[in-house]
Amino acid sequence: MNSGVNQTVAVVDYGMGNLRSVAQAVIHATTDTHVNAVITADPQVVRRAHRVVLPGQGAMADCMRELRESGLLESVLEAAAAKPLFGVCVGMQMLLDHSAEGRTAAGTPGLGLIAGEVVKFDLAGRTAPDGSLYKVPQMGWNRVHQARPHPVWGGVPDGSWFYFVHSFYARPREAAHSVGETDYGARFTSAVARDNIFATQFHPEKSADQGLMLYRNFLHWNP
């Protein structure tokens, strides 16, 4: 990124993200940079932005519906094809082909930007290492193992702790797209990446200094 040129990072507001905390973290990460952070529901602002953050919270079907009905879907797809995009939580799950979560047994189609599916934890009756039963959703801090090097991991120690709240997780078709992994009953993908896209199941904005470091790295990433 040319540090002498003002750039914009757009946090997409389609009605389903944890916008306040995401935006505050992104704004904090822009300190001492030439990047302006904006929360926007305007597709044209997303199109003009140099970088895009796609948050997501709640049910996958609701997130996909609101993204379509907000008029932001096409601008997000255009961003994903041409500029750095950071997906967060359900914003990550939406990037895949399909989720088992939905209003019907058929689940919910995703954006199809990363080949794979989103599936639910199947941990009923399973015992965790501390002797307690696994709970779904997973809620709390867990380690993320950097399965593959990536510029957005820069300066973040492997095995760092991040904050999770989720019942479903991504299962990319290609192992190369799984860049972060976490153990909860079994090892699952907790961060994905492809070309100009990086996304996390965990919440960087709720993950203290290491989460802020991810956003800072994203602001300087030139895929």
Side-chain angles (χ1 to χ4, degrees), residues 5-101:
V5 177
N6 285 332
Q7 297 200 6
T8 301
V9 54
V11 180
V12 182
D13 179 6
Y14 59 100
M16 292 298 295
N18 186 19
L19 287 181
R20 183 166 185 174
S21 59
V22 171
Q24 286 177 337
V26 172
I27 290 168
H28 187 64
T30 65
T31 304
D32 299 325
T33 73
H34 292 272
V35 181
N36 299 315
V38 297
I39 302 173
T40 184
D42 185 341
Q44 295 309 318
V45 174
V46 175
R47 289 186 170 99
R48 290 193 298 267
H50 299 86
R51 301 165 191 277
V52 173
V53 177
L54 179 66
Q57 187 167 285
M60 172 83 165
D62 294 337
C63 287
M64 288 299 301
R65 183 192 67 243
E66 292 299 319
L67 185 62
R68 288 192 304 271
E69 294 183 355
S70 69
L72 287 158
L73 175 60
E74 290 303 320
S75 64
V76 168
L77 289 174
E78 290 171 20
K83 63 189 72 173
L85 183 144
F86 195 132
V88 181
C89 195
V90 181
M92 179 188 105
Q93 296 178 8
M94 293 164 69
L95 301 176
L96 279 78
D97 294 322
H98 180 267
S99 175
E101 182 182 20

Side-chain angles (χ1 to χ4, degrees), residues 4 11 13 35 64 68 89 108 113 129 139 156 178 195 208 210:
V11 180
D13 179 6
V35 181
M64 288 299 301
R68 288 192 304 271
C89 195
T108 304
L113 298 170
M139 185 178 299
V156 177
S178 179
D195 302 327
Q210 304 302 353

Side-chain angles (χ1 to χ4, degrees), residues 142-146 153 158-160 162 164 180-182 190 202:
N142 206 339
R143 290 185 183 275
V144 175
H145 306 282
Q146 297 169 21
W153 290 133
D158 190 17
S160 290
F162 291 91
F164 290 81
E181 297 178 350
T182 297
S190 53
F202 55 85

